[in-house]
Amino acid sequence: MIDLRSDTVTKPTPAMLDAMMHAKVGDDVYGEDETVNNLQQMAADMFGMEAGLFCPSGTMTNQIAIKVHTQPGDELICADNSHVYKYEGGGIAFNSGVQAKTLKGDRGRITASQIVEVINDGNVHFPVTKLVTLENTANRGGGSFYDLDEIKRIRKMCTENNLILHLDGARIFNAIVETNYTAKDMGQIFDSISVCLSKGLGAPVGSVVLGKKEFINKAKRVRKVFGGGMRQAGFIAAAGIYALQNNITRLKDDHQRAKQVADVLKQKSFVKEMMPVDTNIIIFKAVNVETANQFIDRMKSENILVGKISSDECRMVFHLDVTDEMVNRLIEKL
Ligand SMILES: *Cc1c(COP(=O)(O)O)cnc(C)c1O
């Protein structure tokens, strides 16, 4: 089976499982799980941030950040196809009583000049604009990534306007391996960062949220309220440590494979248009809805699973469990 529906489908390798089996654990709600503590410190250090908090999912780390940064009735600004707005079950409203002002981005990326246009002034009629969230890489943008200069412009604009800046960095390392910026650059710019360990990095479960100590103390309280306080979580945190130590630079291989497959797909008559492939995600529109369905069914009959993200759009995501042999078979079947 070649499963390209998402980069969340990876299974732990024997070496990762071994690290998990030998983890030293304790009760993390008491702060006594040394493996969780190590993971949190390690991730914070990588980004040059003060502290981190391990959580069950990236949805939870994003939602915790939004909750800590806002008050009910506030407004946040994000891209209209961003994960926080589109794929977290209305959590912005449900968890934080906050509303979203959405902007049409360029493949999921928004700009400082767009954001500054929609900041509300202090008039009592308007919700208080409090927070900006960026997504890098942008999932619905086909794995597009930001330029460092644009992120810096957004930071400057946020500081000038008293806005907090959060990064949904579910796939931040996919951006980092393709660009001239580092994790530490990101840590300097953002007030909080959410990083998924369970995407391309290949851990079975978990995300970390990073920020200042004061932010993380508040985040810990919110995590408990959301039901995300875990006990001997070191067994899964050990997979996260293993992932950060071993699975970052190899993300480039996923990008290379995605481009290789995209070059073949591009020439097919059933493909109407395809987003540029910047990292590990291919998104293309089929010529019509039936063709999209047929393509997915035909691939499935060849034991190749392709994702469907709207009526006529297909998605293929490359990850740790996709090998060169699989890519060759995929190209042959295409
Ligand atoms: C996967 C993902 C998340 C978090 O998803 P979980 O499944 O809750 O871990 C957040 N943002 C983006 C852009 C994602 O792709």
Side-chain angles (χ1 to χ4, degrees), residues 57-59 62 83 88 135 137 139 168 170-171 196 198-199 207:
S57 73
T59 298
N62 280 330
H83 198 280
E88 297 185 7
E135 190 174 308
T137 64
N139 169 32
D168 176 354
R171 296 188 182 83
C196 281
S198 61
K199 296 270 163 77
S207 288

Side-chain angles (χ1 to χ4, degrees), residues 79-81 103-111 114 135 138 140-147 150 275-276 278:
D80 60 358
N81 56 8
L103 294 172
K104 229 174 213 7
D106 162 34
R107 296 174 56 216
R109 295 164 298 195
I110 54 180
T111 64
Q114 276 184 297
E135 190 174 308
R140 228 27 202 81
S144 60
F145 49 79
Y146 278 86
D147 286 335
E150 189 58 47
M275 284 187 193
D278 294 337

